[in-house]
Amino acid sequence: MKVKQGDSVKIKCVGKMFNGSNLFSYEGDNSLEFKVGKGEIIPGIDEIVMDMHEGQTREAVLPPEKAFGNKRNELVIDYSKELVPVGNIYIGEVLDFKDRKSGRIVKGKIIDIDRDNVKIDFNNPFAGKTIKFEVTVLEINR
């Protein structure tokens, strides 16, 4: 049985840089489950799994627009230090913020601090990167 649009699939997925170092890994209890073609996962993974069968592995190099997107300047925001939810902060620290529209918790990375303000980047840490993916289909459900 091959993966078709609308199928529910369970996959193992490893993202790597071109030097071979792992960026992230979803396997075992941390495997990914999603409906193919429903926008539940990055577009390139939807494309990779199409027509695969259980147990099959594929590798693909995905540009940012097929992976985690390009960096977006509007997601880099200056905040008054008074609005940052912790005391001692440092460049590179990742903080949790509550999105006003969705109510979801989003992560923001501090990229600059001055006397009054903190610049926080809410882009995905992998935004703007071309990533090599290795995907194995573990299960297909119709």
Side-chain angles (χ1 to χ4, degrees):
M1 172 166 60
K2 290 186 176 183
V3 175
K4 294 180 184 175
Q5 180 113 354
D7 286 349
S8 292
V9 295
K10 183 176 185 179
I11 65 168
K12 171 181 137 178
C13 180
V14 179
K16 298 180 180 187
M17 295 299 293
F18 289 101
N19 66 7
S21 64
N22 280 7
L23 292 173
F24 52 83
S25 178
Y26 295 96
E27 41 194 331
D29 290 342
N30 195 29
S31 59
L32 298 172
E33 295 184 53
F34 62 97
K35 282 193 184 263
V36 178
K38 301 294 183 188
E40 295 177 0
I41 198 157
I42 61 173
I45 298 297
D46 257 343
E47 293 172 13
I48 291 170
V49 300
M50 286 299 292
D51 296 323
M52 288 178 69
H53 55 79
E54 284 185 12
Q56 184 177 357
T57 299
R58 279 190 186 155
E59 288 188 358
V61 175
L62 299 181
E65 51 277 0
K66 296 274 184 165
F68 296 95
N70 291 306
K71 283 203 171 253
R72 296 174 34 207
N73 291 334
E74 68 270 19
L75 295 179
V76 178
I77 301 169
D78 283 318
Y79 283 94
S80 168
K81 276 187 178 175
E82 302 166 353
L83 300 175
V84 179
V86 294
N88 295 326
I89 54 174
Y90 58 89
I91 292 176
E93 183 175 13
V94 177
L95 302 173
D96 290 337
F97 294 84
K98 187 173 184 177
D99 183 279
R100 290 181 197 164
K101 291 180 185 176
S102 69
R104 292 184 11 217
I105 299 298
V106 295
K107 299 214 177 273
K109 181 178 181 180
I110 297 174
I111 58 172
D112 193 26
I113 301 171
D114 66 24
R115 195 166 77 83
D116 299 315
N117 297 305
V118 177
K119 186 173 287 202
I120 300 174
D121 185 352
F122 289 98
N123 281 289
N124 184 294
F126 304 120
K129 295 184 180 353
T130 297
I131 300 173
K132 181 178 179 181
F133 285 86
E134 181 181 285
V135 176
T136 303
V137 173
L138 302 173
E139 194 175 297
I140 303 169
N141 295 299
R142 297 223 149 96

